[in-house]
Amino acid sequence: MSGNLHQTSDASKTSRADQAPGRLAAYRAVLASRMRAQRSYRSNFVIDLISSGLVGLIELAEVWLLFHQVGLLGGLTFEQVLLVFGIGDLCFSLADLFVGHLDNIPTYIRKGTLDVFYLRPQPLLLQLMTSDISLRRLTRAAIGLASIVIALSINPIQWSPAKVALLALTIVCGLVTYASLYVWAAGVQFFMVNGAEFTNAFVYGGRYASTQPAAVWSAPLKVLFGFVFPVALVAYVPTLRLLDLPGPAGFPTWLAWCTPPRGAVDGGLRPDDVALRRTALPRRGRLTWTRLSKHTV
Amino acid sequence: MVALHPYIRLLKAGFRQQSAYRLAAFGGLVANLTFGFLKVAMLFATVRAGGGTVQGYDIGSMSAYIWISQGLLGSINLSGRIDLADRIRTGDVAVDFLRPLDVQVGTIVTEVGRALFALIPRGLPSVAIGALTVGMTMPTTPGPYLLGAVSLVTGITISFATVYLVAVAGFWLIETRGIQILYMVLSGFFAGLFVPISLFPTWLLVVAEATPFPSMMMYPIDILTGRVTGWASAGLFLVQLGWLAAMLLVGRLLTLAGRRKLEVQGG
């Protein structure tokens, strides 16, 4: 009931905004209505905000509990790992804020409601990105940001212009890397209906992995999360570089500067590039097969 | 016995329903293994840094904990999500109340059926692959396995009896995603999903033990792996039964109250 109401009001807003000048007006209208919709169940929204903050805190507690038992893990102290955790978690939460709801794609595909998006004259990915901006994810990003600030203030760092640039680049490129993981996972859903857990292993597994000191990983994990899904480059390797620590086997610290090219390879999240292409599969008319454009994969 | 018959059929239906999603089960197994190996890396490193043992866990028993907990991931509901929540929000639950079945028992029994199926494609392979690749220490007497199996099924049932409470809160809140996420955050942590709760500092252990979550996963694993034996394991099982009874009772009361509160619009 309420869902239908929201949709109709969205549609009328969009069409009115389309006549107004400015290409982004439609998206602004859609986003504003999504934000209003979230706040309409007020008690649920407050619990949402608190829970998301708790997610961040408990993930930090999981790391802290191990350091509570021993002083040094993978060559890092808890103070040093706090920086790894902060960068990894901030980038992930921001990517989650912008594209995390691509997780809903399997539901759209199963119910056949994805076609509605194709009927609108806007790129599919951009529509999906603006289909739901969850404000609650901001509290979790705040935990990540707080971890970074605390870690930067308690660890001795020899600041230089290069390091400032590295930190800024790392956060931007980490965000792009995670966003790419989400887009990749959503694209795969067209081929494996009900296979979300398969991709979750690498999206959420990637988040979990990126907050760890990668020195403790076995060789297959280093290949998988260092280079195939390069989450070790999001936080761990840049942290080593910032703290002037030596890199373990497989992760020389000059790799820290490779996050931007890696992010670019994975991402290329320019909305026009990532317009999802639709091709009908003749033999099974019911299914709509869609592929990511070459630029993204 | 006649009264139980439909529920036994629901249990079987849940079991068979889940068997239709083989690819999903495979995806789940991949997720179990990926997280499993990441946990092996971190927790083994902790045990080694602790000089071979941490809180009584050595490499072998830590491995048993990791792989059994990963294997249970598809069977114990630590996500807080359950179909009933959607049925309450949309009002479809009104139809369920018209059926000659108890909504609470019917829901939990169907979910437990699905959960038991998940042990076959996800639980057993996770444990087997873990045992083959990194080895694990398990008890050599039959006792822990017998009580462990019963305790495991009890743990699975407690998880669904508790998630049922999250869903019926929808009678008052309508949108329950907030508490569902709250459940997801707390359940995994306190059930001992990422770090065994014995590694918690005392104050946090006390908090964990005051919740039903360790009864879902940690206690069954402790019993099954022989970390707790004899009367102590019987004690843990009794704690589980207590939580099961409590969760079912609260669920019953909330269902009765919620049914009166239920307002379905449309015609």
Side-chain angles (χ1 to χ4, degrees):
Chain A
M1 276 297 278
S2 59
N4 284 340
L5 281 177
H6 284 308
Q7 264 172 15
T8 21
S9 70
D10 283 352
S12 62
K13 268 201 188 326
T14 313
S15 57
R16 235 183 300 142
D18 272 345
Q19 290 151 10
R23 286 179 58 204
L24 293 176
Y27 296 108
R28 266 204 303 276
V30 170
L31 278 180
S33 96
R34 300 289 174 209
M35 291 183 188
R36 268 202 312 281
Q38 283 173 56
R39 293 196 307 263
S40 58
Y41 295 109
R42 194 163 296 271
S43 52
N44 181 70
F45 181 66
V46 173
I47 300 175
D48 254 8
L49 282 179
I50 297 171
S51 326
S52 297
L54 261 181
V55 172
L57 280 180
I58 282 189
E59 278 161 354
L60 181 58
E62 279 160 6
V63 180
W64 170 76
L65 278 171
L66 298 182
F67 283 89
H68 173 74
Q69 297 291 336
V70 293
L72 212 61
L73 263 179
L76 297 186
T77 62
F78 179 68
E79 288 76 15
Q80 291 165 338
V81 155
L82 192 61
L83 188 55
V84 180
F85 175 88
I87 297 176
D89 221 41
L90 177 68
C91 295
F92 182 83
S93 327
L94 291 178
D96 194 22
L97 178 70
F98 296 125
V99 294
H101 36 281
L102 290 184
D103 271 3
N104 293 335
I105 265 203
T107 318
Y108 295 141
I109 296 177
R110 260 203 308 277
K111 292 187 177 167
T113 47
L114 193 68
D115 292 32
V116 176
F117 289 96
Y118 285 116
L119 295 175
R120 297 180 189 147
Q122 287 153 354
L124 177 60
L125 186 64
L126 211 55
Q127 283 188 57
L128 288 173
M129 282 170 69
T130 50
S131 70
D132 179 17
I133 289 286
S134 289
L135 294 173
R136 67 196 162 88
R137 291 167 180 153
L138 284 172
T139 41
R140 188 168 158 198
I143 305 277
L145 185 64
S147 306
I148 295 181
V149 172
I150 295 171
L152 288 179
S153 59
I154 55 178
N155 285 300
I157 297 177
Q158 307 282 317
W159 284 107
S160 64
K163 280 189 178 167
V164 175
L166 179 65
L167 183 63
L169 263 182
T170 296
I171 289 171
V172 173
C173 298
L175 200 166
V176 173
T177 304
Y178 283 128
S180 314
L181 269 178
Y182 267 116
V183 174
W184 166 82
V188 170
Q189 299 312 318
F190 286 101
F191 300 93
M192 47 189 315
V193 176
N194 244 318
E197 281 216 73
F198 174 77
T199 49
N200 283 354
F202 306 108
V203 178
Y204 297 96
R207 190 219 64 84
Y208 180 51
S210 75
T211 56
Q212 298 183 349
V216 302
W217 292 346
S218 56
L221 282 181
K222 281 183 176 168
V223 173
L224 185 65
F225 286 118
F227 301 99
V228 181
F229 303 106
V231 296
L233 301 188
V234 168
Y236 173 65
V237 179
T239 298
L240 294 180
R241 188 81 185 185
L242 286 170
L243 298 176
D244 295 312
L245 294 168
F251 292 119
T253 57
W254 54 261
L255 273 177
W257 287 102
C258 294
T259 319
R262 238 354 277 233
V265 170
D266 292 329
L269 271 176
R270 285 212 345 259
D272 293 331
D273 283 352
V274 240
L276 298 165
R277 202 172 62 213
R278 179 194 199 189
T279 50
L281 188 74
R283 272 177 296 124
R284 297 165 74 184
R286 241 161 33 84
L287 275 180
T288 309
W289 277 50
T290 307
R291 297 179 55 195
L292 294 166
S293 80
K294 270 186 295 188
H295 301 283
T296 2
V297 183
Chain B
M1 203 56 213
V2 178
L4 277 180
H5 188 62
Y7 298 110
I8 292 168
R9 293 187 64 162
L10 277 180
L11 186 78
K12 286 183 187 162
F15 189 87
R16 283 179 49 196
Q17 184 189 18
Q18 204 54 25
S19 70
Y21 299 112
R22 303 228 173 89
L23 196 62
F26 171 74
L29 179 61
V30 171
N32 283 5
L33 294 177
T34 312
F35 275 94
F37 282 112
L38 285 169
K39 278 164 74 176
V40 162
M42 277 301 267
L43 291 171
F44 279 21
T46 309
V47 172
R48 292 205 180 98
T53 55
V54 166
Q55 303 293 328
Y57 281 101
D58 58 13
I59 293 285
S61 57
M62 190 57 98
S63 171
Y65 153 79
I66 292 171
W67 291 107
I68 293 175
S69 65
Q70 287 307 106
L72 289 176
L73 210 47
S75 303
I76 293 171
N77 189 327
L78 298 177
S79 70
R81 272 190 291 270
I82 190 170
D83 292 347
L84 182 71
D86 280 333
R87 296 185 66 78
I88 292 176
R89 196 182 58 233
T90 57
D92 289 346
V93 73
V95 181
D96 299 339
F97 278 128
L98 295 177
R99 296 198 175 107
L101 282 174
D102 186 276
V103 172
Q104 184 191 19
V105 180
T107 305
I108 294 173
V109 161
T110 312
E111 296 289 343
V112 170
R114 288 185 197 175
L116 290 179
F117 176 81
L119 288 177
I120 299 170
R122 293 184 62 173
L124 295 177
S126 292
V127 174
I129 290 171
L132 289 174
T133 52
V134 289
M136 62 173 70
T137 316
M138 289 294 283
T140 48
T141 51
Y145 293 100
L146 288 175
L147 185 59
V150 181
S151 160
L152 209 78
V153 177
T154 311
I156 291 172
T157 316
I158 296 171
S159 78
F160 287 104
T162 313
V163 173
Y164 179 85
L165 303 185
V166 174
V168 292
F171 284 126
W172 292 271
L173 293 175
I174 302 165
E175 173 61 82
T176 50
R177 196 176 64 174
I179 13 175
Q180 178 245 314
I181 294 173
L182 196 62
Y183 176 94
M184 184 170 74
V185 178
L186 296 178
S187 66
F189 187 60
F190 287 135
L193 179 59
F194 286 96
V195 177
I197 62 171
S198 333
L199 266 58
F200 286 10
T202 316
W203 65 269
L204 199 56
L205 189 63
V206 172
V207 175
E209 283 169 345
T211 70
F213 303 118
S215 290
M216 299 175 188
M217 183 177 259
M218 196 73 239
Y219 298 163
I221 293 176
D222 280 347
I223 294 173
L224 194 59
T225 57
R227 186 176 159 82
V228 176
T229 51
W231 286 112
S233 62
L236 281 189
F237 182 58
L238 279 180
V239 172
Q240 279 190 294
L241 289 182
W243 277 114
L244 180 61
M247 293 298 108
L248 289 175
L249 182 68
V250 177
R252 165 109 338 212
L253 295 175
L254 287 180
T255 309
L256 287 175
R259 189 174 177 169
R260 262 178 247 124
K261 167 91 185 163
L262 180 65
E263 179 184 337
V264 181
Q265 299 171 18

